[in-house]
């Protein structure tokens, strides 16, 4: 009877747990789609308030530190790749007991990371992490391991996980409510696999579109990026890090990594400190205030100083000014690269000393024990003080306690019920739909009629790889066999809309990756012609051609390019299709803006799909045939020419005729641009005062009316321009935004509040500066002025 009662209690607990989880995820895609984001700043403040004070584990940490030997402390600062403790590969990987014993028992390694080439199943992850934690439990002090993984756009290293648009696509939604929900699902599915720490979000600013990780950013504007970043962090970390639906976040790559002068990955950036603080620090600062627990360091250099020895950036600013009390982790092998790449240290021992003293708390070594061996020597030689070691370990232990790993190093079996829930796919689909940006629609070419004959062609038409990009099942996202079979590509989704009679697909050209392609920085994807002539012939018989161009998958150095222009093979193919005289709908599937000025004026419509994920095929078909009204807006400036890269917040003289010939300096499509199948009119812009209050806020309101025939969603963006300043001012800066749903004929009044911080800039002294003068507010073609005295 006692046994029966016990199992009955377990069953009741399990059902209660599942019900609570289900209720916590009750806000489904339909609810999100109808929810207004009334004011980005109010939302941001709410996210920061959610970072409520965490439990104080100081007594436990200090007691544990006193018991730890130097070797045990350094072990906590060491992070090794999974390959160091396994035998076999991929799904056949097994823990090697001897290797595990060396890592965990002998060296006391505090963290393991990464995959064995490709994503593993939930059960496989739980098996591997379970053995790691079991070994940790056998050590003298029983300190649990913290496993780190790159959950970039979903739990992308867990087989069958729910994937979402990449960050650049999420930025195009201008919807932090969706970002927050996507991050919650990512956290739940990651933790279900016993992985408590995600190397995300990427908070680098995308102001260099040549950079191969541009698509991993939230675009070029710091304000949009910091709102979306805060939503990502709070979605991952939740109300309680101990929860089986939460993971610790890692902000990366702190900071300036995304702005290399050449555009090539891991090459030098030259950024004055006031610009660093103006454009690159705000996302990290806001995320730290939103409670982020770990930070990963810039894998390149700023002004000649590699990120991993930049004490000013790591210790003075992050740990000092921002009072960050989590821990800093290096990027892959970057302490070693201080010797081999940046040549700022003569040997690895000196590189280790420099990095730790600059502020690195944990080293992603990751493929040997050199860091631990050398750091122990440095401490014994008095070259690294024990106070620095204790500070690093204290930070690492704090996060482990906050995650609840000391009490529960493994999630319960019930946590697996958080994986693959049906409602997750609906959220992913809604995110994919909102991420699509309609850039052109001449003569209302779109939406397409379902009773007309459509040819679908082009290299991205039948590719889940292009829809997802890197960090998808494998590092480069390039293993087609791993993609789900139940998610349609663009051409398959369109076929499902039309049926066989009005649908035709011909590949035309293809993006291929040769076998055994190098990953040493050489671009490996190539465009090849397959059946161009057949595609041209079929185009002549079609009423409309949906031409899908763009990119394959890439990240980091394999994604380096020397020219943003779309490949000649694709452009020639497009010109052949255009020459048939049939209306062409261009669908660009890409992670960065490839130059299309040669063909943009000659097609009837352009739909931009910024790596919308495996639901992207369905989302694109929904927009093309009018089953969804597009509402995405560009989170970056789409360039017209490869040597004409300009941001939305450029100085006014950069695009005006000032005698320097700058009038031709025009973008292909402007930041914040995006069309809809309805229309909106802005009117009645009001400022609460013509003079900014000495203490307090300025209220700005504007009426937005849906003047079209169907319901839609509109992103309302408020810009502010400082007319004159000590440092030449930007033409405009985003200071607020809202995203609202409007029925046909409906009007809503959107209200924002500005404070003095919104009028500030970072001065030559690297401090926020607010100067009196005249300012202009701009919203939807309306403008008003006020004076700050």
């Amino acid at each position: 009877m006692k046994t029966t009662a016990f199992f009955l209690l377990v069953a009741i607990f399990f059902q209660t747990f599942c019900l609570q989880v289900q209720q916590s995820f009750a806000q489904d895609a339909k609810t999100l789609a109808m929810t207004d984001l009334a004011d980005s700043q109010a939302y941001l403040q709410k996210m920061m308030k959610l970072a409520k004070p965490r439990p104080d584990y100081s007594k436990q940490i200090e007691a544990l530190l006193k018991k730890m030997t130097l070797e045990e402390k350094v072990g906590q600062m060491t992070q090794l790749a999974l390959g160091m403790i396994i035998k076999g590969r991929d799904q056949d990987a097994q823990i090697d007991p001897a290797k595990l014993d060396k890592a965990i028992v002998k060296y006391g390694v505090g963290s393991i990371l990464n995959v064995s080439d490709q994503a593993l199943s939930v059960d496989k992850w739980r098996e591997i992490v379970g053995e790691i934690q079991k070994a940790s439990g056998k050590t003298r002090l029983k300190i649990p391991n913290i496993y780190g993984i790159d959950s970039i756009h979903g739990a992308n290293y867990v087989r069958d996980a729910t994937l979402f648009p990449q960050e650049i696509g999420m930025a195009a939604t201008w919807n932090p409510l969706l970002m927050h929900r996507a991050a919650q699902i990512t956290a739940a599915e990651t933790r279900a696999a016993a992985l408590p720490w995600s190397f995300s979000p990427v908070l680098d600013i995308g102001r260099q579109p040549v950079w191969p990780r541009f698509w991993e950013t939230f675009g070029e504007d710091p304000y949009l990026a910091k709102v979306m970043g805060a939503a990502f962090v709070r979605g991952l970390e939740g109300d309680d890090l101990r929860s089986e639906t939460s993971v610790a976040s890692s902000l990366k790559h702190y900071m300036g990594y995304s702005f290399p002068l050449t555009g090539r990955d891991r090459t030098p950036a030259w950024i004055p400190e006031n610009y660093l603080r103006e454009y690159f620090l705000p996302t990290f600062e806001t995320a730290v205030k939103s409670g982020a627990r770990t930070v990963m360091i810039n894998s390149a250099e700023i002004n000649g100083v590699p990120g991993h020895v930049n004490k000013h950036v790591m210790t003075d600013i992050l740990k000092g000014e921002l009072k960050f009390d989590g821990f800093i982790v290096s990027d892959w092998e970057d302490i070693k690269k201080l010797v081999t790449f940046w040549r700022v240290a003569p040997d690895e021992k000196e590189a280790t000393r420099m990095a730790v003293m600059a502020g690195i708390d944990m080293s992603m070594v990751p493929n040997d024990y050199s860091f631990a061996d050398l750091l122990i020597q440095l401490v014994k030689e008095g070259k690294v003080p024990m106070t620095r070691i204790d500070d690093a370990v204290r930070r690492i232990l704090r996060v482990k306690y906050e995650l609840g790993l000391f009490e529960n190093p493994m999630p319960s079996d019930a946590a697996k019920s958080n994986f693959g829930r049906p409602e997750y796919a609906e959220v992913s689909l809604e995110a994919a739909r909102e991420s699509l940006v309609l850039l052109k629609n001449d003569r209302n070419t779109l939406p397409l009629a379902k009773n007309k004959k459509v040819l679908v062609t082009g290299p991205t038409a039948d590719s889940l790889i292009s829809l997802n990009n890197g960090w998808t099942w494998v590092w480069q996202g390039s293993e087609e066999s791993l993609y789900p079979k139940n998610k349609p590509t663009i051409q398959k989704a369109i076929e499902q809309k039309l049926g066989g009679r009005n649908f035709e697909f011909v590949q035309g050209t293809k993006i291929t990756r040769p076998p055994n392609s190098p990953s040493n920085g050489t671009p490996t994807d190539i465009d090849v012609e397959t059946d161009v002539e057949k595609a041209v012939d079929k185009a002549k018989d079609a009423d409309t051609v949906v031409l899908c161009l763009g990119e394959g998958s890439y990240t980091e150095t394999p994604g380096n390019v020397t020219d943003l222009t779309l490949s000649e093979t694709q452009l020639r193919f497009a010109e052949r299709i255009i020459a048939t005289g049939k209306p062409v709908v261009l669908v660009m599937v890409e992670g960065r803006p490839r130059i299309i000025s040669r063909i943009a004026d000659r097609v009837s419509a352009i739909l931009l799909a910024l790596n919308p994920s495996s639901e992207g095929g369905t989302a694109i078909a929904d927009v093309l045939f009018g089953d969804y009204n597009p509402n995405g807006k560009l989170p970056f400036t789409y360039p017209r020419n490869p040597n004409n890269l300009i941001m939305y917040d450029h100085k006014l003289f950069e695009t005006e005729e000032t005698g320097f010939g700058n009038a031709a300096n025009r973008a292909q499509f402007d930041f914040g641009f995006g069309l809809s199948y309805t229309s909106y009119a802005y009117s009645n812009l009001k400022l609460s005062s013509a003079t900014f209050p000495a203490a307090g806020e300025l209220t700005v309101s504007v009426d937005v009316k849906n003047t079209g025939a169907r319901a839609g969603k509109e992103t309302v963006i408020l810009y502010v321009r400082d007319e004159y300043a000590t440092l030449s001012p930007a033409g405009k800066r985003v200071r607020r935004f809202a995203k609202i749903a409007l029925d046909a004929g409906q009007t809503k009044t959107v209200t924002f509040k500005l404070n003095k911080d919104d009028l500030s800039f970072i001065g030559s002294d690297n401090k926020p500066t607010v100067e009196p003068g005249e300012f202009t507010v701009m919203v939807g073609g309306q403008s008003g002025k006020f004076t700050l005295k």
Side-chain angles (χ1 to χ4, degrees):
M1 288 294 291
K2 289 183 179 179
T3 303
T4 303
F6 171 77
F7 283 111
L8 180 60
L9 286 171
V10 170
I12 292 172
F13 169 79
F14 181 79
Q15 289 176 343
T16 303
F17 175 84
C18 292
L19 180 61
Q20 289 172 341
V21 169
Q22 189 171 7
Q23 289 171 343
S24 71
F25 287 144
Q27 189 179 40
D28 61 10
K30 184 177 180 180
T31 305
L32 284 167
M34 299 300 292
T35 302
D36 281 355
L37 173 72
D39 178 2
S40 56
Q41 191 67 14
Y43 177 83
L44 182 58
Q45 290 169 350
K46 178 182 176 181
M47 288 298 99
M48 289 193 284
K49 286 180 181 177
L50 287 177
K52 54 189 178 184
R54 293 172 290 271
D56 185 0
Y57 294 103
S58 299
K59 290 183 179 179
Q60 295 96 315
I61 292 168
E62 295 307 317
L64 190 53
L65 269 175
K66 289 179 181 178
K67 297 177 184 177
M68 295 176 73
T69 64
L70 169 62
E71 289 74 15
E72 287 169 329
K73 291 176 180 178
V74 170
Q76 287 299 304
M77 298 172 65
T78 303
Q79 185 180 58
L80 297 181
L82 178 60
M84 289 289 288
I85 60 170
I86 62 170
K87 53 187 176 183
R89 303 183 70 82
D90 305 330
Q91 308 307 314
D92 296 325
Q94 300 288 334
I95 290 289
D96 184 313
K99 292 179 179 179
L100 181 65
D101 184 76
K102 181 178 181 180
I104 303 300
V105 178
K106 180 179 177 181
Y107 275 90
V109 168
S111 180
I112 305 292
L113 84 152
N114 212 12
V115 294
S116 174
D117 290 339
Q118 62 178 239
L120 304 176
S121 68
V122 169
D123 289 335
K124 190 66 177 180
W125 273 122
R126 292 172 70 97
E127 172 194 321
I128 287 174
V129 177
E131 292 194 48
I132 295 169
Q133 299 293 25
K134 189 181 298 182
S136 298
K138 294 178 181 178
T139 60
R140 187 176 73 91
L141 296 176
K142 299 178 172 53
I143 301 174
N145 199 274
I146 180 171
Y147 204 109
I149 201 75
D150 290 279
S151 288
I152 303 297
H153 65 125
N156 44 260
Y157 276 142
V158 184
R159 295 289 292 270
D160 302 319
T162 308
L163 299 184
F164 297 93
Q166 298 284 3
E167 279 191 21
I168 197 65
M170 292 304 298
T173 71
W174 289 73
N175 191 341
L177 301 174
L178 261 179
M179 183 68 259
H180 184 258
R181 184 71 185 95
Q184 285 180 317
I185 294 168
T186 297
E189 294 198 321
T190 302
R191 195 71 181 254
L195 306 167
W197 179 24
S198 174
F199 301 134
S200 59
V202 172
L203 295 183
D204 303 304
I205 294 297
R207 297 178 71 87
Q208 170 49 287
V210 181
W211 189 52
R213 305 188 75 167
F214 180 83
W215 52 269
E216 295 183 54
T217 76
F218 286 121
E220 71 186 52
D221 179 64
Y223 182 76
L224 170 61
K226 75 180 185 181
V227 173
M228 298 297 283
F232 201 142
V233 168
R234 293 310 331 140
L236 289 180
E237 298 198 345
D239 295 331
D240 185 350
L241 271 179
R242 295 170 298 182
S243 167
E244 293 188 330
T245 58
S246 297
V247 297
S249 64
S250 187
L251 315 178
K252 64 187 194 184
H253 306 81
Y254 179 78
M255 65 179 163
Y257 174 42
S258 58
F259 202 56
L261 191 64
T262 65
R264 299 178 76 79
D265 189 42
R266 289 175 167 85
T267 57
W270 297 94
I271 311 172
E273 185 167 338
N274 64 317
Y275 273 60
L276 192 71
R277 289 174 177 270
E278 183 80 54
Y279 291 99
F280 298 91
L281 181 60
T283 51
F284 292 97
E285 179 178 7
T286 301
V288 167
K289 291 179 179 178
S290 299
R293 303 313 299 131
T294 77
V295 170
M296 185 182 291
I297 294 304
N298 175 0
S299 197
E301 64 174 58
I302 306 171
N303 306 330
V305 182
H308 285 70
V309 293
N310 198 327
K311 185 176 182 179
H312 180 55
V313 166
M314 285 190 283
T315 298
D316 298 344
I317 298 178
L318 181 60
K319 293 180 177 180
E321 292 179 29
L322 302 188
K323 296 179 171 54
F324 174 67
D325 65 354
F327 69 84
I328 293 175
V329 63
S330 81
D331 206 342
W332 187 271
E333 219 172 37
D334 277 341
I335 291 179
K336 293 177 180 291
K337 291 173 185 173
L338 294 170
V339 181
T340 59
F341 279 35
W342 293 293
R343 303 175 69 82
V344 295
D347 54 49
E348 191 177 345
K349 186 174 182 179
E350 175 60 11
T352 300
R353 186 197 67 79
M354 292 169 68
V356 171
M357 293 306 296
I360 294 292
D361 299 311
M362 179 182 287
S363 172
M364 192 184 293
V365 188
N367 292 320
D368 60 38
Y369 293 93
S370 58
F371 173 80
D373 292 336
L374 294 171
L375 186 53
I376 289 168
Q377 292 176 28
L378 288 163
V379 175
K380 289 181 176 179
E381 292 167 3
K383 295 178 180 178
V384 173
M386 186 62 77
T387 53
R388 173 76 268 268
I389 300 298
D390 285 348
D391 174 64
V393 177
R394 187 177 288 114
R395 291 168 177 273
I396 294 166
L397 293 177
R398 181 180 296 122
V399 174
K400 290 186 176 185
Y401 271 110
E402 290 170 350
L403 282 164
L405 295 178
F406 280 88
E407 296 83 7
N408 298 297
M410 288 291 293
S412 68
D413 288 341
K416 289 199 292 184
S417 67
N418 298 331
F419 190 87
R421 302 182 68 88
E423 61 266 32
Y424 296 173
E426 288 300 314
V427 178
S428 176
L429 177 58
E430 178 60 26
R433 286 167 170 162
E434 290 201 27
S435 75
L436 301 176
V437 185
L438 183 60
L439 296 175
K440 183 178 181 181
N441 194 19
D442 285 357
R443 298 179 299 277
N444 293 321
T445 298
L446 296 176
L448 299 174
K450 294 178 183 177
N451 60 354
K452 299 293 185 180
K453 191 172 182 180
V454 175
L455 169 70
V456 181
T457 188
T460 61
D462 195 32
S463 173
L464 287 175
I465 289 176
S466 294
L467 290 172
N468 283 276
N469 212 333
W471 301 112
T472 307
W473 314 132
V474 296
W475 173 44
Q476 291 294 309
S478 55
E479 185 51 61
E480 190 172 11
S481 65
L482 298 177
Y483 283 81
K485 304 298 185 287
N486 63 336
K487 302 296 182 183
T489 60
I490 299 171
Q491 68 95 358
K492 290 175 181 173
I494 292 176
E495 182 180 20
Q496 291 171 5
K497 293 279 186 189
L498 298 181
R501 183 197 294 186
N502 292 322
F503 169 82
E504 189 84 46
F505 169 65
V506 180
Q507 182 75 62
T509 69
K510 190 172 186 178
I511 300 170
T512 65
R513 177 164 296 196
N516 303 316
S517 296
S519 58
N520 60 357
T522 304
T524 55
D525 282 351
I526 58 173
D527 290 284
V528 297
E529 296 182 348
T530 55
D531 39 13
V532 171
E533 297 304 325
K534 182 179 178 181
V536 171
D537 288 342
K538 292 292 184 181
K540 295 174 183 177
D541 295 331
D543 294 308
T544 304
V545 179
V546 175
L547 175 62
C548 303
L549 305 180
E551 299 183 306
S553 64
Y554 57 90
T555 188
E556 302 186 42
T557 51
N560 283 339
V561 293
T562 55
D563 189 346
L564 269 179
T565 306
L566 193 63
S567 76
E568 183 64 22
T569 300
Q570 291 193 46
L571 289 172
R572 280 200 313 264
F573 178 58
E575 289 173 330
R576 292 288 306 278
I577 296 296
I578 292 167
T580 65
K582 296 303 176 76
V584 175
V585 175
L586 175 60
V587 178
M588 289 297 297
V589 185
E590 57 190 0
R592 57 190 159 192
R594 305 308 292 263
I595 306 298
I596 54 171
S597 53
R598 189 164 130 189
I599 59 174
D601 294 338
R602 298 157 64 189
V603 298
S604 299
I606 302 175
L607 182 66
L608 179 63
L610 295 165
N611 301 138
S613 84
S614 294
E615 298 292 346
T618 299
I620 289 167
D622 285 346
V623 168
L624 292 179
F625 291 92
D627 295 322
Y628 186 82
N629 190 359
N631 53 68
K633 303 284 187 184
L634 281 177
F636 57 85
T637 305
Y638 203 113
R640 183 179 295 272
N641 309 108
N643 292 328
N644 189 20
L645 305 179
I646 191 167
M647 304 296 107
Y648 88 92
D649 53 356
H650 58 266
K651 311 299 173 71
L652 290 179
F653 63 80
E654 292 185 80
T655 54
E656 293 177 346
E657 185 54 75
T658 56
F660 296 104
N662 288 332
N665 198 13
R666 296 181 299 119
Q668 187 76 57
F669 302 104
D670 289 329
F671 171 91
F673 178 73
L675 299 171
S676 169
Y677 293 152
T678 189
S679 54
Y680 302 96
Y682 288 72
S683 64
N684 202 26
L685 178 70
K686 294 180 180 178
L687 279 61
S688 60
S689 174
T691 303
F692 202 97
E697 300 174 316
L698 182 77
T699 301
V700 180
S701 64
V702 66
D703 292 341
V704 184
K705 182 177 181 179
N706 183 342
T707 56
R710 65 180 292 177
K713 299 184 79 172
E714 171 71 345
T715 297
V716 182
I717 308 172
L718 183 149
Y719 300 93
V720 174
R721 176 167 64 236
D722 187 347
E723 294 295 345
Y724 298 94
T726 305
L727 296 181
S728 60
K732 59 182 179 180
R733 295 289 301 275
V734 175
R735 295 308 187 194
R736 298 288 184 273
F737 64 90
K739 189 164 188 176
I740 57 174
L742 291 164
D743 291 330
Q746 184 181 10
T747 299
K748 288 184 178 179
T749 299
V750 179
T751 302
F752 301 107
K753 293 183 183 297
L754 297 175
N755 57 55
K756 283 191 177 180
D757 288 343
D758 301 312
L759 312 182
S760 71
F761 63 92
I762 304 299
S764 301
D765 59 357
N766 301 323
K767 295 178 180 179
T769 301
V770 180
E771 296 178 340
E774 190 175 79
F775 294 79
T776 301
V777 175
M778 296 159 277
V779 187
Q782 305 277 300
S783 65
K785 293 184 181 294
F786 66 88
T787 301
L788 176 67
K789 294 184 177 180

